[in-house]
Amino acid sequence: MSTVTTAWTPLRLRESLLPNRVWLSPMCQYSADEFGAPTDWHLAHYGARAAGGVGMVMVECTGVAPDMRTTRRDLGLWSERQTEGHRRLASAIRSIGSVPAIQLGAAGRKSSHGVPWDNAGTRHPIGPHDGGWQPLAPSPIPFAGLAVPTEMTTEDGARVLGDIERAARNAHRAGYEAVELHGASGYLFHEFLSPLANHRTDAWGGDLEGRMRFPLEMVEAVRAGWPDEKPVIVRMPATDLLDGGLTADETVRVAARLHEEGVDMVDISSGALSPDALRISEPLYNARYGPGLRTTGIRTAASGLVTEARQLDEAVPELVDAVFVGRALLRDPYWALRALDAEPRDSWPKQYHRAF
Ligand SMILES: Cc1cc2nc3c(=O)[nH]c(=O)nc-3n(C[C@H](O)[C@H](O)[C@H](O)COP(=O)(O)O)c2cc1C
């Protein structure tokens, strides 16, 4: 039996107490109903992971507006109907034993494509005449294979900031305890930050200071719709892993500014701005950027190939304050309880005690 290591100890972010530091990473299920609201699939999927002992369930990337989703099957949080569905989902996660959190997304140039299983796993664009929409981005530079996006005007930007504030307010009303802004994976926030996707010459482009201006406004919009006592997390790239892209030194400067703007934690990601980005497939491939980002005083979390219990202890607390686990928890909702390897009657749901 393992001794309790830091990964299994509580972590406080503002007034939210996370019972441990092993969390479900946000993973799109592409299973929303026709109104963008959660379905039975979400209740079963997230309910099982909540029963599986993770300290926080981060619900998948949820669009702040119809044209900010990646696909028509993404969850949304712009309507009352969606908010009602999320209230049920957040309540289920909490009552089953985890802390409900939600990732808010604005997909930018990576929006309006098909769901992965409809085209043999490839990302195929869906045009406005086929039920899709025209994507918006900082500059008219496409993500490989997807539509050339329209360059955002000042009015478009103001509209998106309003959408973000409304989604944050709805997330609070639905009962989520933490919110994460999706600022990585080549989505809008990341597109503005990266010199490879942002060629603007106005106040939202240019040097790093200019390129981080709109992302910081996105954070301000989240904070405007979200109460002070609840934590805000930003999933951000530690580097583009591309020649001429964002560097690790630059993202430390971004993290420092996020910290000043009231962001409590960065959830470290890397690459994904373009298919050419270097793919690193070694354990803890994002957590290794934690010590650098932590120098700013901000809390850190990371996903990225944590598949064995010992890797939790390698990561926390040396590299990061918490770990998001993705694919291992898709394969096995009880991965965390198995990794904890404690006396089942002390850790597994009481409904299952007779199994042991
Ligand atoms: C099916 C699937 C869906 C995903 N959807 C999202 C998402 O909605 N938002 C996000 O930030 N990352 C998403 N990711 C990335 C994961 O959250 C995670 O960062 C990544 O898989 C690396 O962690 P892992 O090695 O533990 O899986 C997704 C990954 C998978 C496999």
Side-chain angles (χ1 to χ4, degrees):
M1 196 173 84
S2 67
T3 51
V4 172
T5 52
T6 311
W8 299 103
T9 59
L11 178 70
R12 180 174 287 283
L13 295 176
R14 300 214 177 202
E15 288 184 18
S16 290
L17 186 67
L18 292 316
N20 64 51
R21 298 149 185 250
V22 183
W23 302 342
L24 176 68
S25 203
M27 283 179 287
C28 253
Q29 299 296 296
Y30 309 103
S31 300
D33 69 13
E34 60 185 302
F35 305 102
T39 59
D40 290 349
W41 176 264
H42 296 98
L43 288 173
H45 168 71
Y46 291 113
R49 273 87 199 154
V54 293
M56 182 201 280
V57 167
M58 182 64 73
V59 170
E60 69 206 63
C61 187
T62 296
V64 299
D67 66 340
M68 288 291 137
R69 294 169 299 169
T70 61
T71 80
R72 275 175 296 176
R73 302 296 307 279
D74 291 16
L75 290 175
L77 205 35
W78 62 84
S79 75
E80 280 309 301
R81 187 177 190 129
Q82 293 162 350
T83 306
E84 204 41 56
H86 279 285
R87 189 171 287 132
R88 171 124 175 68
L89 181 56
S91 158
I93 292 166
R94 182 180 297 101
S95 71
I96 294 171
S98 191
V99 171
I102 188 163
Q103 187 185 56
L104 299 180
R109 69 180 188 176
K110 259 185 158 175
S111 75
S112 202
H113 58 76
V115 298
W117 49 81
D118 275 353
N119 208 27
T122 60
R123 214 185 251 110
H124 58 292
I126 306 271
H129 299 300
D130 300 314
W133 52 89
Q134 173 57 25
L136 288 175
S139 301
I141 307 167
F143 181 84
L146 295 183
V148 178
T150 301
E151 179 171 308
M152 277 173 64
T153 61
T154 315
E155 292 71 36
D156 292 327
R159 193 268 292 172
V160 172
L161 295 175
D163 293 336
I164 292 171
E165 181 176 339
R166 177 184 57 204
R169 185 167 297 113
N170 286 342
H172 167 58
R173 290 171 58 232
Y176 289 109
E177 286 186 37
V179 74
E180 176 172 275
L181 181 62
H182 193 345
S185 302
Y187 284 19
L188 195 64
F189 181 107
H190 187 177
E191 290 161 22
F192 268 96
L193 275 186
S194 176
L196 298 174
N198 181 349
H199 290 183
R200 299 178 77 97
T201 53
D202 64 3
W204 288 339
D207 60 8
L208 182 65
E209 198 56 36
R211 284 184 278 114
M212 71 167 115
R213 199 162 279 132
F214 189 73
L216 290 172
E217 289 177 37
M218 293 172 82
V219 166
E220 248 176 68
V222 172
R223 268 276 161 234
W226 186 249
D228 275 353
E229 66 273 16
K230 292 185 179 180
V232 172
I233 304 171
V234 172
R235 177 166 279 206
M236 64 169 279
T239 148
D240 275 346
L241 298 172
L242 282 164
D243 281 345
L246 271 178
T247 65
D249 286 345
E250 287 178 314
T251 59
V252 170
R253 286 168 58 199
V254 175
R257 294 296 296 278
L258 294 176
H259 194 31
E260 284 166 20
E261 292 297 327
V263 173
D264 300 285
M265 173 177 255
V266 288
D267 168 8
I268 307 164
S269 184
S270 57
L273 183 77
S274 123
D276 302 330
L278 191 67
R279 278 167 206 256
I280 301 172
S281 51
E282 61 189 42
L284 305 173
Y285 61 84
N286 289 320
R288 65 203 180 110
Y289 298 106
L293 290 162
R294 231 185 212 165
T295 58
T296 63
I298 203 161
R299 300 263 198 184
T300 54
S303 64
L305 281 180
V306 170
T307 56
E308 292 172 30
R310 68 180 163 78
Q311 291 158 350
L312 295 172
D313 301 328
E314 284 167 28
V316 183
E318 274 74 21
L319 304 177
V320 284
D321 298 298
V323 167
F324 280 103
V325 180
R327 290 162 290 180
L329 276 165
L330 283 187
R331 292 191 290 271
D332 176 7
Y334 303 110
W335 184 90
L337 291 176
R338 295 188 214 283
L340 176 60
D341 189 26
E343 163 59 40
R345 281 169 189 269
D346 294 337
S347 55
W348 285 70
K350 59 185 177 307
Q351 291 89 338
Y352 295 169
H353 285 182
R354 285 171 64 190
F356 298 98

